[in-house]
Amino acid sequence: MALPVPLPRAPLPSEGGSAFWYEHELGWATAAGPPVALLTGLRFDVLELPADAGAAVLRRIGAAGTGPVALAAGRMRLLVAAGGADELPGLLDWLEWGGVALDLTAVGAGGRMTAPEPPGRPRGPTEAAPGGSFCGVGGRRGAEQGAAVWLRPPEPGREVEPTLPALTHFGHGPGGSAGLGDRGGGVPDLVRLVDTAATECHRVRLLRGESTGTKSQPLAFS
């Protein structure tokens, strides 16, 4: 009688690899790669927007107004409290951005984001942000072209949840209430972050439209 052959087990994350670092240093769930991915909707959700708009957001609200921030392939990814992705459409409507094309999206439960290389590891050539300025905030450089890197990395040994933008007592959500699961107590304000991100996404879209229009518009005397 032939014995059933057991299915192969998923490989365990190798010690020293990216997945091992995220799972053992931060306690974050990962999905095997390549590339290794971080599962969203468990410890955090992600707001995603163009890198140039994201750089403006970081300048405006500072480090105290965001959690960890990553950059990949010209897109900035801002980690927010789990459930924040579900709040985004309602917040945009409440902030009167509903129906405006912003290129501002969110990834929540059931999603994933490419895991940036853990901080402190060797990096390749630098990646310049649109307009020639580096997206590396606070002097951080070394993003390989298209590779996912941390601009504001998470801290090992520290719970990430208290650093993530969420609905707070001061940032009331749609309907005038702070929303289910309001935490307050110095937590970065999700409403302020979303409003700032929408403003900068709209600004970038207008500037790109003006640039395209200028190049394609014929001269008056031609």
Side-chain angles (χ1 to χ4, degrees), residues 72-74 124-128 134 142-149:
T126 56
E127 177 182 34
F134 282 94
E144 295 183 19
Q145 293 290 342
V149 295

Side-chain angles (χ1 to χ4, degrees), residues 65-161:
T66 71
V69 179
L71 174 71
R75 304 285 293 177
M76 196 169 290
R77 294 164 180 169
L78 294 84
L79 272 59
V80 300
D86 292 334
E87 299 286 352
L88 182 61
L91 285 176
L92 290 175
D93 285 342
W94 184 65
L95 293 165
E96 300 184 353
W97 287 108
V100 180
L102 295 173
D103 198 11
L104 173 63
T105 59
V107 184
R112 58 182 64 186
M113 64 171 275
T114 301
E117 190 70 13
R121 300 200 176 183
R123 304 183 188 278
T126 56
E127 177 182 34
S133 62
F134 282 94
C135 281
V137 177
R140 180 178 295 274
R141 295 188 176 190
E144 295 183 19
Q145 293 290 342
V149 295
W150 287 113
L151 301 180
R152 293 178 179 169
E155 298 181 20
R158 181 184 180 187
E159 292 293 323
V160 71
E161 284 83 358

Side-chain angles (χ1 to χ4, degrees), residues 172-197:
H172 297 297
S177 67
L180 182 64
D182 165 55
R183 294 183 296 176
V187 172
D189 184 4
L190 179 63
V191 176
R192 182 188 179 205
L193 177 62
V194 168
D195 193 29
T196 305

Side-chain angles (χ1 to χ4, degrees), residues 7 20 22-23 30 42 55 65-67 92 122 141 145-146 150 156 161 192 196 199 202 207 221:
L7 295 174
F20 184 90
Y22 281 106
E23 293 183 6
T30 66
L42 301 176
T66 71
L92 290 175
R141 295 188 176 190
Q145 293 290 342
W150 287 113
E161 284 83 358
R192 182 188 179 205
T196 305
T199 300
H202 187 55
L207 290 174
F221 53 83

